[in-house]
Amino acid sequence: MSSTDITINHDIDHAHEEHDHHHDQNFFEKYIFSQDHKVIAKQFLITGIAWAFIGGFLSILFRLQLGWPEATFTFLEPILGGWVENGKLNPEFYLALVTMHGTIMVFFVLTAGLSGTFSNFLIPLQIGARDMASGFMNMLSYWIFFISSVILFFSLFLETGPASGGWTVYPPLSALPEAMLGSRGGMTLWLISMALFIVSQLLGGVNYITTVINLRTSGMSMTKLPLTIWAFFLTAILGLLAFPVLFSAALLLIFDRSFGTSFFLSDIFIAGEALSNTGGSPILFQHLFWFLGHPEVYIVIMPSFGIVSEVIATNSRKPIFGYRAMIGSLIGISLLSFVVWAHHMFVSGMNPFLGSVFMFLTLIIAVPSAVKVFNWIATLWRGNIRFTTAMMFAVGFVSLFISGGLTGIILGNSALDIQLHDTYFVVAHFHLVMGAAAFFGMFAGVYHWFPKMFGRLMDEKLGYVHFWLTFVSVYLVFMPMHYIGIAGFPRRYYAWTGFEAFSGFADMNTFISISAILGFTAQFIFLFNFVYSIFRGRKSTSNPWHSNTLEWTTPVLPGHGNWPGPIPTVYRWPYDYSKPGSVEDYIPQNIPFSQTQSSNLPQERDFE
Amino acid sequence: MANEQIKEHNSRIGVHPLKFSLWLIIISIIMMFAAFTSAYIVRREEGNWLEYDLPAILLINTVVIILSSVTMQMAHNAAKNNNLKLLKMMLLATLGLGIAFLIGQWNAWADLVQNNVYFGGSGSNPAGSFLYVLTGVHGFHLITGLIFVAITYFSSLKYKVHSKNMLRIHLCTTYWHFLGGLWLYLYIFLRLNH
Amino acid sequence: MISIAIGLSVILLLVILFLLFRIGTLTSIFRGSSERAAGTTKTSNKVNGALLLLFLFGGGAAFVWSFVKYWEEMNQPLASVHGDWTDSLFWTTMIIIGIVFVITQILLFLYAYKYQHQDNKRAYYYPHNNKIEIVWTMIPAVVMALLVFGGWQTWTKITSASPEESVVVEVMGKQFSWMVRYPGADNELGVAKTTLIDATNEFGIDFSDRAALDDFMPREIHVPKGKPVLLKIRSRDVIHSVFLPHFRVKMDAVPGMPTKFWFVPTKSTQDMRNETGNPDFNYEVACTEVCGRGHFAMRFLLVVDEPEEYEEWLASQTPFIEENPDLLAKFQTESEKQLVLKNTSEKKAEEVKTEL
């Protein structure tokens, strides 16, 4: 962790040599071990897309079981092999699918895909920097993430199966190999992979924070930063504070698993034996996990907040409404995200008084979220809305976030959470905010910044098809889950056939599965569009969306160092759209006020 | 070009990016140790706690690490005053004291084992396990600190550490003092809560 | 050959899609719409706007229809006192949230449709308004405060201490079923230790404790109607979670840490059978915290009797130790021996550890 890039002075002394290196960079330094933040961002994006398809495929597998519990799946035997026994999916493998689906989607797709891609790509470009503070550390961050990905991918093929204790890996189930097949080698690899993932995210977070604090261009005050940068910056702070806690929890879990300690184990009789472990506390792990786990969901959603704010403002041709309120709500969400973690543990046997305290704190977090939602809607009001694909996904994001967020209010009520905890209501909640909304933010970001990443435009029509299919299928999948959850259907059930109380909704589960398959299939449109457009997409102009932020002032495909000449100086805030009196309906940040005297507001005349 | 920009911004905002990065890394390490100590406190409040005596050698280790902080600070000052000979000596002293600290920690572990305080296994208790974890993770970080000091030492051999180029030793000093402070915190924490 | 056919079909489909995509691209080029700024094509905007409105109304209608259709199935029959509170609170919250949901979604889609791009139009420059910000900060705050208060009241009542006259039932989770223990006549549960668990004594009851002599372990939970029931919940291997959907009861079963939950059943099993029209209806206990392979099948039955029937059932139960008298004998004779053995083995363990 302490391997900081301590050779910065060394580089300064040998600036000339470095310059030569740029010209003579070989293939490996250019594409594999590149220290350019744009290349690293693309690496993160491609890895994230790959993991997204793997995670989505896993969801299709277990949705098949959930949608047709009485069916046989012999056609999956070539893929799954021994995990299909007598035509039936193995129950432990089902749990493994669910666990890996959750882990892959939350950590490897959204956390790495959103922060890794867009923080890397946009922070230097939007704040006006040549690169991240430490390119080496940035590269290290990706490659540690890559190793972590390889380890997790490898764990999918273990004989005893991948980890299967739920993405939360609560001990003792996760700490005792005797408890479950998924708690053997797969869990070990899961923990190792997560440890490396955390190290990677910490390195990246350090880089983002340092770059935002120290490397802004002249004139770029904190109140002139786009909301995307604010979101990425605060997300990095959340990660920096939360991930080490999970690291320590994982470390203690590894010790419990492999070294015979009893941090989380006590009074256990399993596999015909009473274990000697005593004195541990499983609740402790839950506290430590959720101290990260809850900020983690905001690490997942806050970059989407920033992306969506930018996309909505750009395509409404209107300044974002309540810029400072948006910043305030981002900061509020960031702070509150650290003090509500136990709302995931209302029925874990914890102190009821703490439960009421956390309920109070949890429901406070809805207030800044409400501010954001209302500000987004206010930005749309009386705008000149352009329906680019990114804008479609942004509007879908807001709709989905409202739907998911409102169910969070129900869950935040500890009295209501008694019945709803670990039911499909929770699954519906977090799939709407995370599985749908955060993904829509990611899609919006990809569609919006694809021209800057690859110099070409993604196809709009395919984008529309992709959006509508995904939007409709997402609602079709996760809205019915609310009904199932209200009816009390528990989570992580291989089949509900063992209970009369849960024997209803069979047709709805089938419907959900069909919609899920449809939604997953729709992603191949995105994949085709993405890959095709990289190579054969329509070439882009330097500023196809007529946006104000600094990244569009670079050439179409910026090289290393981003700007060929000096970095532009910033004079304005990032949302000078549709200013009365201006020629164009956008004024980039680097345009001095003296050049737009016709549209300057009274308080801006001083700066002419 | 990027380096020039870094210099320019450094002068404008007042913090070197690497220094800032180091501080952020320190914060993440603090969060990790905070998690460990929080878990320790919670676990202790829950009862069923093994009472044991801390090895006496930990006090000696504390003195050793404080001395290493002193030598590290002296090295820093020597670099500022361009006293390169003293710089090398003090860096070596810091290295030696750091290694001595690690050896002392190892001996402390040996003492604990002799007193039947185990990390894992049948006879273990989270009390002892936490002690091993806290000291072990700190030891790991101290090893990284030693590597950092070693790199600084080799740089000083090549005359890359002097009053006009203090960044590396400054970062090294900060990190080393952080580790020392962290040990002090851990030691006092364990002394109070064992 | 069928596989070839399927492959060819897929290839054909992909080829057709690809050709359509290419045709679309070329036609847009020829029509000149590609020169326009993205998102400003009239047709696309009209289509997307119309689809947004269609989605708003169609989705809303579908939501209403499905909500009404599945209303009965959605609401599990209720049979506890606090369940009434939580259900009413839930639907109250749902109404509030529903109002917010409807308003915000309508505004979102309506604005998106209404303010579509027009070439000769400028958006309204409106970056800030303090009053509005305060208003739509205070409104959710006030709403949240009300919800918090209601939830907190209910939560406090639910998690308060159980009445002293509660019927005590111990529920212990194991992979992958539940075990139940009643305290018997003395209304006291005997001491249980994991070290004492064996094939017969699956609870690990220490029968040297007098209170344990009258404990019995039925295969169904029987509780009286109208009386408070206190569930003392434990687990012996991994974390489970006792879930009684009809009573709105859920609490984790954590190894090493006992938990509890008390409730008052309001309808007997027979009442509920009459209510639901299903003569085979039973109250069920499920597990909601993932515990391994058989997590989905941890079913246990709970029977709510009329108080008189419950007393009869109680009287008919025989203590566990009476069913297994050899356990008692074994316990009394072996306890002393075990102490000696423990001492000896501990010494040996220490010696072994020293070798390490």
Side-chain angles (χ1 to χ4, degrees):
Chain A
M1 268 194 200
S2 62
S3 309
T4 57
D5 182 8
I6 56 172
T7 59
I8 192 74
N9 278 343
H10 180 80
D11 285 341
I12 292 168
D13 294 339
H14 300 277
H16 185 71
E17 279 185 41
E18 193 74 30
H19 189 70
D20 289 342
H21 275 301
H22 289 162
H23 289 323
D24 294 340
Q25 268 180 346
N26 56 35
F27 174 79
F28 283 99
E29 289 193 16
K30 202 171 170 181
Y31 292 117
I32 307 297
F33 292 117
S34 165
Q35 299 186 26
D36 189 333
H37 68 100
K38 298 180 285 294
V39 177
I40 292 170
K42 290 171 199 170
Q43 289 172 334
F44 269 112
L45 177 61
I46 290 163
T47 314
I49 292 176
W51 272 122
F53 275 95
I54 296 172
F57 179 68
L58 296 182
S59 80
I60 298 308
L61 286 180
F62 64 72
R63 277 312 318 177
L64 284 174
Q65 163 62 32
L66 288 170
W68 296 273
E70 80 282 12
T72 59
F73 301 107
T74 46
F75 62 93
L76 290 176
E77 280 185 16
I79 306 169
L80 301 180
W83 293 115
V84 178
E85 303 166 347
N86 303 328
K88 301 293 296 175
L89 200 68
N90 185 294
E92 287 189 3
F93 189 64
Y94 171 86
L95 289 176
L97 290 174
V98 170
T99 303
M100 299 311 290
H101 164 73
T103 302
I104 289 166
M105 289 293 203
V106 172
F107 290 115
F108 286 85
V109 178
L110 283 179
T111 304
L114 272 171
S115 289
T117 302
F118 293 107
S119 292
N120 261 312
F121 191 76
L122 291 177
I123 284 177
L125 285 171
Q126 286 198 342
I127 69 169
R130 298 289 180 190
D131 205 330
M132 287 285 185
S134 170
F136 179 73
M137 219 157 72
N138 207 15
M139 178 193 68
L140 207 58
S141 164
Y142 175 73
W143 283 104
I144 293 175
F145 165 70
F146 182 79
I147 294 169
S148 150
S149 296
V150 169
I151 293 172
L152 197 80
F153 187 73
F154 179 75
S155 85
L156 290 171
F157 303 101
L158 287 179
E159 187 183 2
T160 53
S164 57
W167 78 285
T168 47
V169 295
Y170 286 167
L173 184 64
S174 59
L176 299 175
E178 304 95 317
M180 194 169 60
L181 280 181
S183 292
R184 299 189 187 180
M187 182 62 68
T188 306
L189 290 179
W190 191 94
L191 287 165
I192 294 170
S193 169
M194 282 307 300
L196 291 172
F197 179 84
I198 289 166
V199 170
S200 157
Q201 292 299 304
L202 287 175
L203 289 176
V206 165
N207 230 349
Y208 309 147
I209 298 170
T210 309
T211 307
V212 170
I213 293 286
N214 289 332
L215 296 185
R216 299 192 303 274
T217 186
S218 62
M220 182 59 96
S221 64
M222 291 302 268
T223 50
K224 290 198 179 91
L225 287 173
L227 287 172
T228 48
I229 302 301
W230 271 104
F232 298 149
F233 176 64
L234 291 167
T235 303
I237 292 176
L238 288 183
L240 195 80
L241 298 178
F243 276 122
V245 176
L246 181 65
F247 190 84
S248 58
L251 198 62
L252 296 177
L253 185 57
I254 290 172
F255 288 146
D256 269 8
R257 277 176 58 81
S258 306
F259 294 96
T261 54
S262 308
F263 294 116
F264 308 122
L265 305 173
S266 177
D267 295 348
I268 287 168
F269 182 95
I270 196 163
E273 288 180 327
L275 298 188
S276 63
N277 299 107
T278 186
S281 166
I283 300 295
L284 178 59
F285 178 89
Q286 295 190 17
H287 278 295
L288 291 176
F289 177 87
W290 286 115
F291 190 83
L292 163 95
H294 187 78
E296 165 67 17
V297 310
Y298 291 104
I299 290 169
V300 155
I301 197 84
M302 278 202 347
S304 295
F305 285 165
I307 291 169
V308 164
S309 300
E310 175 74 13
V311 170
I312 285 180
T314 302
N315 290 298
S316 303
R317 312 308 299 158
K318 212 187 145 182
I320 193 86
F321 187 84
Y323 172 73
R324 285 177 185 270
M326 286 294 229
I327 295 173
S329 68
L330 280 172
I331 294 171
I333 289 172
S334 302
L335 287 176
L336 287 166
S337 75
F338 276 107
V339 299
V340 304
W341 73 88
H343 66 216
H344 296 266
M345 300 163 53
F346 283 141
V347 294
S348 64
M350 78 170 193
N351 191 340
F353 173 65
L354 273 184
S356 53
V357 169
F358 278 104
M359 172 178 74
F360 173 67
L361 293 166
T362 296
L363 293 180
I364 290 177
I365 214 169
V367 175
S369 309
V371 168
K372 295 195 84 57
V373 165
F374 293 139
N375 282 348
W376 285 324
I377 294 177
T379 308
L380 289 174
W381 178 69
R382 289 182 69 168
N384 199 19
I385 300 167
R386 305 184 309 198
F387 285 127
T388 61
T389 314
M391 183 62 176
M392 297 300 293
F393 275 103
V395 170
F397 171 90
V398 177
S399 168
L400 290 160
F401 180 71
I402 293 170
S403 307
L406 290 176
T407 57
I409 290 168
I410 294 180
L411 289 169
N413 205 320
S414 52
L416 304 180
D417 196 47
I418 292 169
Q419 175 72 5
L420 297 170
H421 176 66
D422 271 344
T423 66
Y424 263 76
F425 196 86
V426 176
V427 176
H429 157 65
F430 73 78
H431 272 98
L432 278 176
V433 274
M434 186 157 68
F439 257 79
F440 271 47
M442 193 156 59
F443 285 133
V446 171
Y447 280 103
H448 188 80
W449 280 286
F450 190 89
K452 185 49 55 183
M453 281 191 197
F454 300 104
R456 296 167 184 269
L457 290 162
M458 287 176 83
D459 185 73
E460 290 287 309
K461 287 191 174 58
L462 283 179
Y464 295 143
V465 172
H466 173 230
F467 166 75
W468 280 110
L469 285 175
T470 308
F471 192 48
V472 170
S473 67
V474 151
Y475 265 115
L476 288 179
V477 169
F478 300 123
M479 266 300 177
M481 276 190 192
H482 288 93
Y483 303 149
I484 297 175
I486 295 172
F489 277 47
R491 267 173 87 176
R492 298 169 180 149
Y493 263 42
Y494 171 76
W496 290 284
T497 49
F499 290 86
E500 288 176 13
F502 308 134
S503 58
F505 285 117
D507 51 343
M508 185 167 280
N509 271 312
T510 309
F511 177 79
I512 290 173
S513 292
I514 295 169
S515 306
I517 294 169
L518 173 66
F520 180 69
T521 309
Q523 306 314 308
F524 287 95
I525 300 174
F526 169 80
L527 182 68
F528 167 76
N529 194 2
F530 183 81
V531 172
Y532 179 85
S533 298
I534 289 179
F535 302 105
R536 303 291 300 273
R538 191 149 58 90
K539 284 188 190 300
S540 160
T541 60
S542 62
N543 195 349
W545 317 120
H546 293 176
S547 191
N548 288 341
T549 43
L550 280 184
E551 77 268 22
W552 304 107
T553 64
T554 67
V556 173
L557 281 173
H560 191 48
N562 295 335
W563 284 272
I567 300 176
T569 304
V570 164
Y571 305 97
R572 301 164 183 268
W573 75 315
Y575 299 109
D576 256 349
Y577 291 106
S578 299
K579 271 186 95 167
S582 69
V583 177
E584 296 280 347
D585 65 351
Y586 71 104
I587 307 174
Q589 284 187 281
N590 60 330
I591 303 295
F593 284 100
S594 55
Q595 292 184 20
T596 59
Q597 295 184 18
S598 59
S599 61
N600 287 348
L601 300 177
Q603 61 267 32
E604 287 164 354
R605 295 194 191 280
D606 310 346
F607 305 99
E608 290 179 6
Chain B
M1 183 61 100
N3 299 324
E4 290 171 20
Q5 281 290 332
I6 290 173
K7 274 188 174 184
E8 178 187 324
H9 282 86
N10 180 21
S11 63
R12 198 164 71 82
I13 292 168
V15 176
H16 195 282
L18 291 184
K19 196 189 295 184
F20 197 86
S21 300
L22 179 65
W23 272 106
L24 293 174
I25 290 167
I26 288 172
I27 287 165
S28 67
I29 296 171
I30 289 173
M31 287 300 289
M32 190 171 73
F33 275 98
F36 281 135
T37 51
S38 301
Y40 187 95
I41 293 171
V42 172
R43 187 57 209 88
R44 187 166 181 271
E45 284 288 308
E46 286 167 3
N48 190 14
W49 192 253
L50 174 69
E51 291 291 340
Y52 58 90
D53 288 324
L54 284 181
I57 199 169
L58 289 183
L59 187 61
I60 299 168
N61 292 342
T62 307
V63 172
V64 166
I65 201 162
I66 291 173
L67 280 175
S68 71
S69 284
V70 170
T71 57
M72 188 75 223
Q73 187 63 30
M74 285 185 184
H76 183 262
N77 292 336
K80 270 201 282 191
N81 301 330
N82 282 328
N83 189 346
L84 300 184
K85 197 174 173 183
L86 185 64
L87 167 67
K88 291 172 200 163
M89 283 169 54
M90 285 298 138
L91 284 174
L92 274 177
T94 309
L95 273 174
L97 288 166
I99 293 167
F101 176 85
L102 288 174
I103 293 168
Q105 292 290 82
W106 185 261
N107 286 332
W109 282 4
D111 278 345
L112 286 168
V113 168
Q114 280 186 342
N115 296 334
N116 291 336
V117 176
Y118 301 115
F119 177 48
S122 297
S124 71
N125 184 282
S129 306
F130 267 116
L131 175 61
Y132 282 102
V133 166
L134 288 169
T135 54
V137 176
H138 177 263
F140 169 78
H141 284 95
L142 201 95
I143 291 170
T144 62
L146 283 173
I147 294 169
F148 199 0
V149 172
I151 292 171
T152 311
Y153 175 71
F154 283 112
S155 296
S156 74
L157 288 179
K158 295 174 187 256
Y159 301 102
K160 292 192 184 188
V161 178
H162 44 75
S163 62
K164 290 285 187 292
N165 194 358
M166 288 282 291
L167 178 68
R168 186 169 297 189
I169 190 153
H170 188 69
L171 296 175
C172 188
T173 308
T174 308
Y175 189 63
W176 191 258
H177 287 329
F178 162 71
L179 290 175
L182 186 58
W183 173 249
L184 278 175
Y185 165 78
L186 287 177
Y187 179 63
I188 292 164
F189 176 86
L190 290 167
R191 174 64 65 180
L192 293 179
N193 297 314
H194 74 272
Chain C
M1 290 309 289
I2 295 296
S3 60
I4 297 177
I6 294 169
L8 279 171
S9 305
V10 170
I11 291 168
L12 171 61
L13 187 64
L14 292 174
V15 164
I16 292 167
L17 291 171
F18 180 73
L19 285 170
L20 282 169
F21 165 67
R22 292 275 288 146
I23 291 165
T25 308
L26 287 167
T27 49
S28 70
I29 291 169
F30 279 106
R31 279 169 194 166
S33 59
S34 59
E35 270 96 52
R36 290 183 64 88
T40 58
T41 310
K42 282 199 180 85
T43 313
S44 292
N45 281 357
K46 277 181 191 169
V47 168
N48 281 320
L51 284 173
L52 283 170
L53 270 186
L54 177 65
F55 181 83
L56 175 66
F57 294 120
F63 173 67
V64 168
W65 168 81
S66 62
F67 190 82
V68 169
K69 188 190 180 209
Y70 287 100
W71 174 259
E72 282 296 316
E73 294 187 35
M74 212 196 304
N75 288 283
Q76 290 276 13
L78 179 65
S80 74
V81 168
H82 78 266
D84 227 14
W85 311 332
T86 58
D87 272 15
S88 63
L89 181 64
F90 177 79
W91 289 114
T92 308
T93 313
M94 267 293 198
I95 289 166
I96 296 169
I97 284 168
I99 293 167
V100 171
F101 177 79
V102 167
I103 293 172
T104 50
Q105 299 280 1
I106 287 176
L107 284 179
L108 177 71
F109 287 101
L110 200 61
Y111 287 168
Y113 174 78
K114 185 179 174 186
Y115 298 113
Q116 287 174 36
H117 172 82
Q118 289 170 26
D119 283 340
N120 51 345
K121 190 180 89 170
R122 273 288 176 90
Y124 179 52
Y125 186 81
Y126 192 50
H128 189 57
N129 185 324
N130 273 325
K131 201 182 293 184
I132 295 180
E133 296 280 359
I134 291 168
V135 163
W136 65 38
T137 305
M138 294 309 293
I139 291 176
V142 168
V143 171
M144 288 295 121
L146 296 172
L147 292 176
V148 162
F149 186 74
W152 170 72
Q153 265 190 321
T154 312
W155 171 258
T156 310
K157 282 198 273 189
I158 293 170
T159 56
S160 60
S162 67
E164 280 196 18
E165 69 272 17
S166 302
V167 171
V168 175
V169 180
E170 186 183 52
V171 179
M172 177 142 150
K174 67 159 185 164
Q175 283 180 331
F176 295 101
S177 64
W178 300 107
M179 296 182 292
V180 173
R181 180 165 68 134
Y182 278 74
D186 63 355
N187 211 30
E188 245 183 75
L189 291 165
V191 171
K193 301 170 188 170
T194 49
T195 49
L196 300 174
I197 293 173
D198 59 27
T200 312
N201 183 9
E202 285 186 301
F203 259 91
I205 302 172
D206 182 3
F207 288 104
S208 57
D209 180 18
R210 282 179 53 82
L213 296 179
D214 61 346
D215 297 350
F216 61 92
M217 289 163 225
R219 310 210 180 269
E220 277 178 337
I221 301 177
H222 281 255
V223 296
K225 172 182 163 184
K227 299 269 185 64
V229 175
L230 171 65
L231 297 179
K232 294 196 172 187
I233 300 160
R234 289 200 295 132
S235 164
R236 80 173 196 187
D237 36 32
V238 298
I239 295 181
H240 304 275
S241 183
V242 175
F243 180 38
L244 285 73
H246 302 104
F247 302 98
R248 313 294 192 257
V249 166
K250 184 182 296 173
M251 180 55 74
D252 280 8
V254 179
M257 173 189 175
T259 55
K260 60 185 189 295
F261 201 105
W262 74 275
F263 67 102
V264 179
T266 54
K267 295 172 189 172
S268 71
T269 301
Q270 194 58 48
D271 292 343
M272 193 54 88
R273 284 176 179 178
N274 298 335
E275 186 178 311
T276 59
N278 172 23
D280 294 333
F281 176 87
N282 284 305
Y283 291 117
E284 293 169 318
V285 181
C287 175
T288 64
E289 189 61 66
V290 60
C291 54
R293 184 188 176 99
H295 163 62
F296 67 101
M298 285 180 66
R299 183 176 188 251
F300 206 83
L301 293 187
L302 185 148
V303 177
V304 179
D305 299 318
E306 299 292 337
E308 300 81 36
E309 294 171 7
Y310 171 73
E311 294 298 329
E312 288 175 24
W313 175 84
L314 202 61
S316 70
Q317 298 300 311
T318 56
F320 181 74
I321 199 63
E322 283 183 26
E323 291 176 8
N324 306 85
D326 53 332
L327 267 179
L328 186 63
K330 185 176 75 171
F331 231 89
Q332 287 171 337
T333 53
E334 281 192 17
S335 57
E336 294 174 16
K337 289 184 185 177
Q338 267 186 315
L339 283 168
V340 173
L341 283 167
K342 274 185 186 177
N343 290 335
T344 317
S345 65
E346 277 172 11
K347 284 179 186 176
K348 283 186 182 179
E350 284 176 16
E351 289 173 27
V352 168
K353 290 290 176 186
T354 312
E355 286 180 29
L356 276 173

